[in-house]
């Protein structure tokens, strides 16, 4: 199995929906080999943060950089399709996209893209 994203660095991220500000100066550094869990009650910005990483929500400030195969990629400003092409995937919990597949199998569904 190939390591798709060796690291992810988020710095000073602000984001929201129109006039509603959700994320304020979020900084997160996930290094190679680490596993990170985002915990919090509803409405604390977990999904918004993940949507920023995937290009589904545009941050108003800050940076998101993924290091993939030793190359840094600034994710801010990229489309979701461009981010998926880098090999980055997101399976939202509880959405039942492919209910009979495991989380790993759901993520591997993105591996069918030529560049992933």
């Amino acid at each position: 199995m190939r390591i798709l994203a060796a690291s992810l660095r988020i710095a000073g991220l602000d984001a929201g929906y129109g006039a509603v500000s959700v994320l304020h100066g979020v900084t997160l550094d996930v290094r190679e080999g680490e596993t990170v869990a985002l915990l919090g009650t509803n409405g604390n910005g977990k999904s918004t943060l993940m949507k920023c990483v995937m290009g589904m929500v545009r941050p108003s400030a800050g940076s998101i950089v993924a290091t993939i195969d030793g190359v840094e990629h600034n994710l801010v400003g990229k489309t979701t399709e461009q981010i998926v092409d880098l090999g980055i995937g997101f399976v939202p919990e509880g959405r039942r996209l492919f209910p009979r597949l495991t989380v790993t199998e759901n993520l591997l569904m993105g591996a069918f893209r030529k560049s992933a």
Side-chain angles (χ1 to χ4, degrees):
M1 178 180 263
R2 177 183 115 144
I3 295 176
L4 297 178
S7 68
L8 180 67
R9 189 174 65 249
I10 300 170
L13 199 69
D14 293 347
Y17 305 93
V20 179
S21 182
V22 177
L23 303 178
H24 310 276
V26 173
T27 297
L28 175 68
D29 190 11
V30 183
R31 296 183 181 108
E32 184 175 348
E34 287 185 325
T35 300
V36 173
L38 293 174
L39 302 174
T41 57
N42 293 344
N44 280 315
K46 302 176 302 294
S47 293
T48 301
L49 178 61
M50 295 307 299
K51 288 177 182 179
C52 286
V53 170
M54 292 305 303
M56 299 163 71
V57 170
R58 299 281 179 222
S60 57
S63 64
I64 305 170
V65 177
T67 301
I68 302 166
D69 296 332
V71 178
E72 287 190 354
H73 300 271
N74 181 0
L75 302 184
V76 174
K78 290 194 183 304
T79 65
T80 301
E81 183 176 67
Q82 290 170 321
I83 293 168
V84 170
D85 281 342
L86 292 171
I88 298 172
F90 171 50
V91 178
E93 179 269 332
R95 297 300 192 277
R96 308 269 189 252
L97 297 179
F98 301 104
R100 293 188 178 159
L101 299 181
T102 66
V103 171
T104 300
E105 290 167 336
N106 269 273
L107 289 169
L108 287 173
M109 291 298 292
F112 288 99
R113 298 186 64 94
K114 287 183 181 181
S115 57

